[in-house]
Amino acid sequence: MYRVGGKPYPTKILHDKLYELILHEKRLDGRSPYESRPVNIHTNLIDKADGSAQVSMGGTKIIAGIKVDIGSPYPDTPNQANMTVNAELLPLASRTFEPGPPDERAIELARVVDRCIRESKAIDLEKLVYIPGQKVAVIYIDIYVLDYDGNYFDPSVIAAVAALATAKIKKYEVIDGILKLVEGEYTKIPIRRLPVSVNLGLFMDKIIVDPTAIEESALDTSLIIGWSTEDEIAAIQKNTPGRLPFSIVEEAVRVSREVSIKYRKRLIESIAWQLEDTP
Amino acid sequence: MNETVRLFTEDGKRLDGRSFDQMRKVRMEVGVLDKCDGSAYIELGKTKIFAAVYGPKEAHPRHLAQPHRAILNCRYHMATFSVSDRKPAGMTRREIELTKVIKEGLETLIFLEEFPRSAIDVFIEIIQADAGTRTAGITAASLALADAGIPMMDLCAGIAVGKVQGKLVLDPSEEEDKYGEADMPIAIAPRINSIVLLQLNGRLTIDEFKEALSLARRGIESLYELQRKALKNKFAGIEEPEVE
Amino acid sequence: MPDYVVEWEVVTPGQILSDEVKKAGSHTYIYGGKVYSAVTGVVSFRTDKINIIPAKGPYRPQENDSIIGIITDIKPNMYEVDLGWHVVGLIKSKSKKGRTSFKLNIGDVVYTTVRYCGIRGVFLESGDGLKKIEKGLLVMINPVKIPRLIGKKGNMLSLLKRETECQFYVGRNGLIAIIGKDSKHEFAAASAIKLIEEESHIKGLSDRVSALIRKILFSEVEENE
């Protein structure tokens, strides 16, 4: 006979204790299950980058930088600018992160952030085409996890979007089919909407929002839901092993929607974003 | 973007003649490879995948071994010739991410605590890719694990749901995936009623998401029956064993 | 209190077996108050429990199992023995009962029993029960087929012994050492073991095994004559 859900002993105690707390609507750091940590956003702190943002949520700190270059478009999208997202889990951030090329966690983070931004069509990539089929903008979004206390997904998406929305990029004009830099003038990256992601943790049949590192070490499974707008899901990733019961999915969507609205409100406040800026 | 592409015929059928809730032709076979401990082959339309399982065996390097459970090594890999343009050799970032989600999906189901200090290897090789490779891959991998006799809670089967020109379709084809608005791969262990793999690329409203889940669920039930049939076929004819 | 399966039914992982938790036997698990199968295999009701006999599967060491292993490493007071699969057995070279009576080298094949298996590892008998196999042919089959190789009350194994005139050391981990008077007899025995592994589920196995052995042993003789 096999035993279901075996966990190493210390983790089992922690798991049971956290679950007990959640049943009483409490968590170790005093939050309620559906409460996220306060989000702090600083933008444009790196002058050399075209755009940058540092976001902290509790003990998790993320810095995101934007660099924009000129390059040729991909053959299958001649009328779109390119965008690539890269992420690194710096060894500064946790003793479990090691130097070296990005591991599967870092690649997953990069691809989830990429998906949130790309699939929600947050950037108007058509507007950054200078000469169709030949010269387009190439947007590099680089994300570094500086400090890790659980949930590096939500602040990474917020940091990337905040950096994009506040970036000032060089202005180019096309004269006689030749691309020329307009000295001293800058333009913005056209942003259509502000995607955010919400990381949810599951303890048996209970959901928590924005898990900390301790909670992440004990939870049964977790899920990231990216929202392009209030009513539209743009990305989902189940990012840890474990069973995700069917019955809990609808609740997860409902909870994450509320949190996403809160995140987006905070984001808009801190970057003073207005839709009119970029019609 | 590409509004000129038509993905539905006039009578509402899909280009390959399927209805919205119909998946492509599926073929599964168990025990197709000789040297490994368990193997499976799956065809989903033109997608062709082999999966092989080795182990439990000694974990290498030894410091990776866990004293209380087995570790699961997994590799989702596409052959260079499996896609229209030659895929560069080695693991791309996409493959590394899919390896991670597939590994975590399978890890959920296996009783890893039964084999302390050991490793179980799962290799998924896509020899032809035509949409739906990660879900067909996890379907084949769970069959290969069952073939190897590794104890697990349930088999799992996966399928993708796409949104194409405003309509939800089961098991999108490559065309539908390319020009569609959303693609949601999902793998479910039906008997324990749990999702083991879930991703979404693209935009869905909340209602569409719920509908997509139930559409996938129906598709997976029929895949699951095929899986069981494939396993039973392999072991058919087992009669009263002569036990000492 | 229904059971959902009947004896000798082929089941797959995740298939529900019973509503009664008490009936959970080998290769089953309990989830949500119900009993499910964890492997592909056939159902067997024994001692009021539902057991699944797996069709194929890895070796899981149990105390008092006879095993065959190969020495892979020598530590100051320990021999490491590869039992195939994931299992590494340990033989203490110096125990309270005195040291092992003979020296072992890397690559040596030993026949012994499992004394302890648990969180500390798998410890093997190091005293009189330890036997070094100096010659013969080593074959490996899937461990779940070992009961079939032995047969009811040892029938199949005695048949093999009788027909091939070989000596057999059968390890529960799937390794079998065959020691015969010449390589031809050993080869006949190995072929018969492969046949048992592959066709154990088809009726009339004993007859086919004898036929195969005789064919191998006497065909060449006939040709010579």
Side-chain angles (χ1 to χ4, degrees), chain C residues 10-27:
Chain C
V10 179
V11 294
T12 54
Q15 186 164 346
I16 188 161
L17 302 176
S18 172
D19 287 338
E20 269 184 280
V21 175
K22 277 185 300 183
K23 288 195 169 175
S26 65
H27 301 287

Side-chain angles (χ1 to χ4, degrees), chain C residues 4-113:
Chain C
Y4 294 92
V5 287
V6 293
E7 187 116 20
W8 312 131
E9 189 176 330
V10 179
V11 294
T12 54
Q15 186 164 346
I16 188 161
L17 302 176
S18 172
D19 287 338
E20 269 184 280
V21 175
K22 277 185 300 183
K23 288 195 169 175
S26 65
H27 301 287
T28 65
Y29 70 95
I30 299 166
Y31 181 70
K34 290 183 160 54
V35 184
Y36 297 85
S37 171
V39 294
T40 311
V42 290
V43 178
S44 145
F45 290 92
R46 255 193 301 161
T47 60
D48 295 334
K49 285 191 189 251
I50 303 178
N51 303 290
I52 308 298
I53 302 169
K56 205 168 152 186
Y59 172 62
R60 297 164 72 213
Q62 268 160 2
E63 274 159 42
N64 297 323
D65 274 0
S66 302
I67 53 91
I68 288 180
I70 297 164
I71 308 281
T72 50
D73 201 355
I74 302 173
K75 299 275 165 71
N77 57 353
M78 207 87 90
Y79 294 108
E80 281 188 11
V81 188
D82 180 12
L83 304 184
W85 300 93
H86 63 295
V87 190
V88 178
L90 300 168
I91 296 176
K92 284 182 184 164
S93 48
K94 287 174 212 150
S95 65
K96 278 173 199 157
K97 293 171 199 157
R99 62 173 58 223
T100 336
S101 49
F102 44 86
K103 229 177 131 71
L104 291 168
N105 259 322
I106 289 177
D108 282 353
V109 179
V110 290
Y111 176 74
T112 178
T113 44

Side-chain angles (χ1 to χ4, degrees), chain A residues 48-51 66-73 80-84 125 128-130 134-142 168-172 179 181 189:
Chain A
K48 301 246 163 140
D50 296 324
I66 311 284
K67 286 277 193 189
V68 181
D69 266 351
I70 301 290
S72 39
Q80 272 186 35
N82 299 344
M83 178 190 102
T84 58
L125 292 171
L128 293 170
V129 176
Y130 303 113
Q134 291 176 34
K135 293 275 186 252
V136 298
V138 182
I139 305 171
Y140 294 98
I141 304 172
D142 288 294
K168 287 191 173 64
I169 60 173
K170 289 176 193 134
K171 200 173 172 182
Y172 290 93
L179 201 59
L181 179 70
I189 297 175

Side-chain angles (χ1 to χ4, degrees), chain B:
Chain B
M1 257 149 290
N2 208 330
E3 309 293 349
T4 52
V5 178
R6 286 180 59 93
L7 293 166
F8 289 98
T9 59
E10 260 116 49
D11 54 354
K13 284 260 174 87
R14 291 152 78 177
L15 287 187
D16 46 10
R18 289 184 286 156
S19 62
F20 77 98
D21 62 348
Q22 201 179 353
M23 63 177 102
R24 287 170 287 172
K25 218 176 149 213
V26 190
R27 192 164 80 83
M28 296 181 198
E29 213 178 310
V30 173
V32 288
L33 303 175
D34 196 35
K35 277 290 162 283
C36 52
D37 298 315
S39 61
Y41 174 71
I42 188 167
E43 264 181 38
L44 176 65
K46 281 189 214 153
T47 296
K48 294 177 181 175
I49 301 171
F50 279 102
V53 169
Y54 283 90
K57 54 177 204 163
E58 225 182 310
H60 278 292
R62 261 193 189 181
H63 68 87
L64 290 180
Q66 300 265 331
H68 64 280
R69 49 165 259 182
I71 54 170
L72 183 68
N73 298 318
C74 187
R75 191 176 88 139
Y76 162 98
H77 183 252
M78 291 173 103
T80 50
F81 48 77
S82 64
V83 280
S84 327
D85 301 330
R86 183 175 183 271
K87 187 201 82 99
M91 295 285 280
T92 60
R93 281 155 56 100
R94 176 178 173 276
E95 288 170 305
I96 294 172
E97 187 207 350
L98 296 192
T99 293
K100 181 173 186 282
V101 293
I102 289 173
K103 180 177 83 182
E104 290 172 350
L106 295 171
E107 205 173 318
T108 306
L109 298 171
I110 305 172
F111 288 99
L112 292 170
E113 299 81 20
E114 290 300 314
F115 309 104
R117 295 190 178 91
S118 69
I120 298 170
D121 290 354
V122 178
F123 298 112
I124 299 166
E125 195 66 38
I126 318 294
I127 55 168
Q128 183 160 280
D130 189 51
T133 55
R134 77 194 78 173
T135 48
I138 197 171
T139 308
S142 92
L143 268 183
L145 281 165
D147 179 36
I150 290 169
M152 51 207 279
M153 287 187 78
D154 198 355
L155 300 167
C156 71
I159 197 83
V161 179
K163 184 182 168 190
V164 179
Q165 297 178 342
K167 279 191 210 166
L168 290 177
V169 295
L170 187 67
D171 185 23
S173 66
E174 200 168 29
E175 291 281 284
E176 288 169 335
D177 193 18
K178 195 171 166 194
Y179 298 110
E181 295 100 84
D183 173 36
M184 185 174 88
I186 175 169
I188 296 172
R191 291 299 159 265
I192 56 169
N193 221 354
S194 299
I195 297 168
V196 295
L197 179 151
L198 176 62
Q199 290 183 301
L200 167 67
N201 310 281
R203 297 193 284 162
L204 291 179
T205 64
I206 299 168
D207 290 334
E208 282 168 343
F209 173 66
K210 284 179 197 163
E211 206 189 317
L213 271 186
S214 65
L215 191 59
R217 179 81 203 232
R218 269 178 281 153
I220 283 169
E221 285 294 343
S222 63
L223 276 176
Y224 187 78
E225 281 315 308
L226 288 173
Q227 279 181 306
R228 292 195 47 201
K229 218 194 239 169
L231 274 177
K232 284 190 169 179
N233 275 348
K234 163 95 193 278
F235 298 116
I238 296 177
E239 284 158 36
E240 182 172 346
E242 295 172 25
V243 182
E244 57 180 301

